[in-house]
Amino acid sequence: MKAFSYVSAADVPAALRAISTEPNAKFIGGGTNLVDLMREEIERPDTIIDITRLPLSGIEELPGGGVRIGAMVRNSHLAADRLIRMRYPMLSQAVLTGASAQLRNMATVGGNLLQRTRCLYFYDGAAACNKREPGRGCDAIGGFTRNHAILGASGACVATHPSDMCVALAALDATVVAESVRGVRRIPMTEFHLLPGGTPDVETALAPDELITAVELPEIPVAATSAYRKVRDRASYAFALVSVAAALETSDGAVSAVRLALGGVAAKPWRAHLAEQVLLGAPATEESFQRAAAAELAPAVAQSQNAFKIELARRTIVATLRRLLTDGSAA
């Protein structure tokens, strides 16, 4: 790990001043991903700005019925919060499927948004990786791709985004609040992470001098009837092969409201807009769920070793919607 300077920020203005004046600086909160990347010399900041003292650890109800989550809220606290468990159960469930209890006690909401792919080739300094070294190539293409993308990939990158929490946030129409010395910016969660295209090293819409200060959730009545389902190689300490965040509400036997997002299938949390369009107003039946999943996955392209993920994603979408319907809570 290379040597770096250390700055401790006492408040948000101090953090913003530091990031705008220090070259090649990084914020650190929980540090659960950044420290690993520094050890591997993938991230090589000249300055680390410690933001653990910032007053961003609250979860509060907004006047319009939504919820504001501070960027320094620990993942374990988010999952246990009463408002989150009651109004957005998919979010609480998603957080609890990620990592270990020890990591959830350290990891923050803001850091979770910014964690980087766990692609083996990204971490292997001997492998070609356009995320790590733009223009070098992507050894994952044609390599070991069991965990890689089936949606939104490009000829430059086939990595997936690792977060569970972000999948739920995408389904919930969350907004990321970012601040800089220029002011406050609100970024829709579905636009925060970027698909690789020809620049897979550019992973988010966040500017280098911006600090995530909060995530805001709107009031979404259907979110009270929601679930998160994660399919992985083992029951814990594993990233998703496929995950589904879903919310479903029915009226007179038809789907009256729905939210759906997928994880483990793309370089960003994948909001399933096509499936939602098929479902809205359709009969709340297994056939409708199958048609919606098929529509969403029609553009999917398998890599050499992950064709199974297309069928796995289809089955997981259908199973999650079926569960919401048949347990009686979607009616």
Side-chain angles (χ1 to χ4, degrees), residues 33-307:
N33 187 213
L34 178 59
V35 171
D36 287 342
L37 294 169
M38 291 172 64
R39 285 174 178 154
E40 297 293 330
E41 298 202 340
I42 296 169
E43 295 279 6
R44 296 170 55 85
D46 293 320
T47 304
I48 289 293
I49 303 169
D50 186 344
I51 58 172
T52 54
R53 292 194 290 160
L54 302 190
L56 302 174
S57 299
I59 300 174
E60 58 184 332
E61 189 170 7
L62 295 172
V67 174
R68 181 182 174 94
I69 304 164
M72 289 300 298
V73 171
R74 304 292 174 173
N75 285 5
S76 54
H77 295 166
L78 176 65
D81 185 81
R82 182 184 61 84
L83 277 176
I84 300 303
R85 288 188 292 109
M86 289 178 58
R87 297 186 187 179
Y88 312 98
M90 70 160 72
L91 179 54
S92 177
Q93 293 169 20
V95 171
L96 289 173
T97 66
S100 64
Q102 292 90 339
L103 284 173
R104 290 194 297 270
N105 284 338
M106 285 296 297
T108 64
V109 168
N112 195 310
L113 288 165
L114 294 174
Q115 66 177 304
R116 305 192 69 184
T117 184
R118 298 315 196 274
C119 174
L120 297 175
Y121 298 94
F122 175 68
Y123 278 87
D124 182 358
C129 174
N130 287 317
K131 276 188 178 293
R132 195 178 63 247
E133 296 181 57
R136 188 176 173 193
C138 176
D139 277 352
I141 297 175
F144 183 75
T145 55
R146 186 170 184 273
N147 296 318
H148 287 67
I150 56 174
L151 291 167
S154 73
C157 182
V158 294
T160 55
H161 194 270
S163 175
D164 294 295
M165 181 194 80
C166 290
V167 181
L169 292 179
L172 292 169
D173 292 318
T175 299
V176 179
V177 182
E179 295 188 32
S180 70
V181 293
R182 299 179 303 280
V184 179
R185 190 160 67 105
R186 283 174 163 77
I187 309 167
M189 184 65 195
T190 52
E191 299 173 15
F192 182 79
H193 296 99
L194 307 177
L195 292 176
T199 56
D201 56 306
V202 182
E203 298 176 356
T204 75
L206 198 70
D209 64 343
E210 286 184 312
L211 169 68
I212 297 172
T213 54
V215 172
E216 294 178 346
L217 300 174
E219 182 181 24
I220 305 178
V222 68
T225 309
S226 65
Y228 185 77
R229 186 164 186 158
K230 181 176 182 178
V231 182
R232 45 190 164 172
D233 284 326
R234 55 183 186 270
S236 60
Y237 314 130
F239 294 101
L241 291 168
V242 170
S243 65
V244 173
L248 182 69
E249 188 175 89
T250 64
S251 177
D252 297 326
V255 176
S256 54
V258 62
R259 296 289 190 279
L260 195 64
L262 309 180
V265 298
K268 60 181 289 182
W270 189 267
R271 181 65 180 269
H273 290 296
L274 290 174
E276 290 178 359
Q277 291 171 14
V278 171
L279 286 169
L280 196 59
T285 62
E286 182 92 2
E287 181 183 2
S288 294
F289 300 161
Q290 295 280 4
R291 285 193 299 106
E296 192 62 47
L297 295 166
V301 176
Q303 303 301 316
S304 59
Q305 297 177 346
N306 71 354

Side-chain angles (χ1 to χ4, degrees), residues 286-325:
E286 182 92 2
E287 181 183 2
S288 294
F289 300 161
Q290 295 280 4
R291 285 193 299 106
E296 192 62 47
L297 295 166
V301 176
Q303 303 301 316
S304 59
Q305 297 177 346
N306 71 354
F308 73 94
K309 289 181 76 169
I310 300 175
E311 176 63 14
L312 181 61
R314 184 192 67 78
R315 294 187 183 193
T316 308
I317 291 170
V318 173
T320 308
L321 293 170
R322 183 194 304 125
R323 169 186 158 189
L324 288 171
L325 180 66

